[in-house]
Amino acid sequence: MNFVNNTINGNCSKCASCCGSLLPLTDKDIKRIKYIVKTRKLKPCRPKVAAALNFDLICPFLTVNKKCSIYNHRPTICRLFKCDKRGIVEENEQAELKGTIPYDMRDFFN
């Protein structure tokens, strides 16, 4: 199995390659993100190319500068993900995501 390590010396390179719109969300994630979207009056971002194609798999909270606009409130999967590991999350971390359902962030938080 080929594995791409997007880190720089094991640290996040801020490439945003992991920032997809289809994510498993916990109930806490949903409540936290809905609250922050409402209180900060956030409007999900949408790249021009994706808008023109009417197809988008990029997280709606990723800005054009590849910054997470909800970083302090990001979903659990985003907190656990390490792109220098072979799996999305380590086995001992999977319990935290057990029972979650993948939601399309763009549909769910618009």
Side-chain angles (χ1 to χ4, degrees):
M1 175 162 126
N2 290 337
F3 174 69
V4 177
N5 183 342
N6 292 320
T7 66
I8 297 174
N9 299 322
N11 295 313
C12 179
S13 66
K14 300 181 181 5
C15 68
S17 294
C18 61
C19 300
S21 68
L22 201 64
L23 297 173
L25 300 173
T26 66
D27 289 338
K28 286 182 181 180
D29 291 335
I30 294 166
K31 288 177 185 171
R32 183 176 60 249
I33 295 169
K34 279 187 173 184
Y35 175 79
I36 201 69
V37 167
K38 183 179 178 181
T39 58
R40 288 177 44 195
K41 296 181 174 106
L42 285 177
K43 293 194 179 193
C45 306
R46 188 157 198 204
K48 289 180 184 179
V49 172
L53 296 173
N54 203 23
F55 181 75
D56 191 356
L57 292 177
I58 299 168
C59 178
F61 299 108
L62 185 68
T63 69
V64 292
N65 298 328
K66 295 185 180 178
K67 301 282 184 191
C68 179
S69 61
I70 60 167
Y71 186 81
N72 292 331
H73 308 282
R74 68 195 185 280
T76 302
I77 189 70
C78 300
R79 294 169 189 274
L80 296 176
F81 183 84
K82 305 283 189 282
C83 60
D84 61 340
K85 296 180 183 176
R86 289 196 178 270
I88 291 176
V89 293
E90 296 293 316
E91 282 184 39
N92 62 344
E93 297 170 329
Q94 288 180 8
E96 201 167 341
L97 296 170
K98 189 172 182 156
T100 58
I101 299 170
Y103 290 98
D104 185 329
M105 299 275 284
R106 195 161 300 286
D107 291 341
F108 201 70
F109 294 108
N110 275 336

